[in-house]
Amino acid sequence: MRVLLIEDDKMIGQNLKAALAREGISVDWVRTASDGEEALANGGHGLVLLDLGLPGRSGIDLLKMARQAGNRTPVLIVTARDGLDDRVAGLDVGADDYIVKPFETRELLARMRAVLRRQAGAAQSLLVAGELALDLETHEVTYRGTTVLLPAREFALMQALAERPGAILSRARIEENIYGWGEEVESNAVDVLIHSIRKKFDKDIVRNVRGAGWMIPRGET
Ligand code: CA
C-alpha cells in the first residue's frame, strides 16, 4: 500500500517514513498543505496521514477542501496532545480517526488497519476475494488450502489485486500501488514478484491478461 504523509516536521516525517517502510508500506511524504493538495488530487494512495499544524494553510482546511472535492481516501489525523479542538474539527470535516503524538508505531499501524477495515466494511483484518484470503495483520495469504506468509512487496501486490477482484491492473497501476515516488523500479519487478508468488501457491493464483495486466478472478457464484 502507498500512504501519503503530509507533515512539516522533518524528524517526525523521517521516522514515520522509516517505520512504515519496515512494514512494507511505501510513503510519499510532502511537507506543505499545497503539496498535499496536489498529491491528493493525483490520487493513488490507500490512506493519508495528516498533520494539522502545517505552515501556511492548516490541515483542517486541506481536508475540508479535499472532501468537498469528493476525495474519499481514508484520512488519519496526526495531532498534538493539546489539540482537542483541532481533533474535533478534523473529525467533523471528514477525518476517519486520529492519533496523538507521540505515539508508538504499533498503535499507528493498528489504527491504520482499523480505518482501512471500516472503509472496506469488513469486521476483521481479513480480505477475501474468490479463493483467496489475505490477513492484513499477519501478511499471511491462503489460497486453496495453502497458507504462506508473504514478504512485504509480494503481499502488497496481492492486496492491490484482491481489493479489486475481476479488475485488470496494468503494470503501471500495480507499481503505483507497491512503490513510492522516486523509488527505483526494475522494468521486470512485477513479473519477478508474480513469479515468486505463483511458485509458492499455484500458477492460477494470478491471471495474466495478455497486453493488459493481471487480475484475480471474482469468486464463483
Ligand atoms: Ca506540524
Side-chain angles (χ1 to χ4, degrees), residues 187-202:
S187 62
N188 66 341
V190 172
D191 307 83
V192 171
L193 292 173
I194 287 177
H195 179 73
S196 169
I197 293 165
R198 282 177 168 161
K199 257 173 62 184
K200 289 170 185 166
F201 296 93
D202 182 288

Side-chain angles (χ1 to χ4, degrees), residues 15 24 26 44 65-66 78 88 94 102 132 149 163 213:
N15 288 342
S26 297
M65 282 185 61
V78 181
V88 171
L132 264 177
L149 198 164
E163 279 168 352

Side-chain angles (χ1 to χ4, degrees), residues 84-85 117 131 137 144 186 214 216:
L84 175 64
D85 289 345
R117 267 202 310 274
E131 295 179 272
E137 218 158 310
R144 293 182 183 164
E186 299 279 336
W214 294 268
I216 59 163

Side-chain angles (χ1 to χ4, degrees), residues 7-9 51-55 101:
E7 164 69 75
D8 62 314
D9 187 291
D51 174 31
L52 294 182
L54 295 167
K101 298 181 211 178

Side-chain angles (χ1 to χ4, degrees), residues 15-206:
N15 288 342
L16 266 178
K17 189 168 174 161
L20 293 176
R22 283 193 291 275
E23 303 294 324
I25 298 169
S26 297
V27 176
D28 295 328
W29 174 25
V30 297
R31 296 178 65 181
T32 65
S34 51
D35 286 348
E37 189 178 5
E38 195 183 325
L40 268 173
N42 288 335
H45 298 101
L47 187 139
V48 179
L49 295 175
L50 177 64
D51 174 31
L52 294 182
L54 295 167
R57 210 162 95 224
S58 81
I60 304 265
D61 273 1
L62 173 64
L63 177 58
K64 196 171 168 181
M65 282 185 61
R67 290 299 190 233
Q68 279 169 356
N71 190 306
R72 297 181 60 188
T73 312
V75 172
L76 192 61
I77 286 175
V78 181
T79 166
R81 187 167 299 278
D82 57 2
L84 175 64
D85 289 345
D86 279 349
R87 291 201 286 279
V88 171
L91 291 169
D92 281 344
V93 297
D96 294 274
D97 198 2
Y98 64 85
I99 188 161
V100 176
K101 298 181 211 178
F103 50 80
E104 298 283 334
T105 308
R106 278 175 55 210
E107 185 184 355
L108 174 66
L109 291 169
R111 286 192 184 277
M112 287 170 61
R113 285 194 298 268
V115 163
L116 292 170
R117 267 202 310 274
R118 282 202 294 275
Q119 204 208 20
Q124 47 179 341
S125 308
L126 207 60
L127 178 60
V128 180
E131 295 179 272
L132 264 177
L134 279 71
D135 190 321
L136 303 178
E137 218 158 310
T138 63
H139 286 194
E140 283 172 326
V141 172
T142 304
Y143 181 69
R144 293 182 183 164
T146 305
T147 299
V148 179
L149 198 164
L150 292 185
R153 300 267 200 222
E154 292 178 18
F155 188 84
L157 188 154
M158 289 308 294
Q159 187 178 348
L161 291 169
E163 279 168 352
R164 305 161 192 87
I168 301 167
L169 297 197
S170 67
R171 181 182 302 275
R173 183 90 181 272
I174 292 175
E175 286 174 355
E176 196 182 283
N177 266 279
I178 58 182
Y179 298 100
W181 294 338
E183 252 185 281
E184 199 74 30
V185 185
E186 299 279 336
S187 62
N188 66 341
V190 172
D191 307 83
V192 171
L193 292 173
I194 287 177
H195 179 73
S196 169
I197 293 165
R198 282 177 168 161
K199 257 173 62 184
K200 289 170 185 166
F201 296 93
D202 182 288
K203 196 176 169 303
D204 293 344
I205 190 168
V206 177

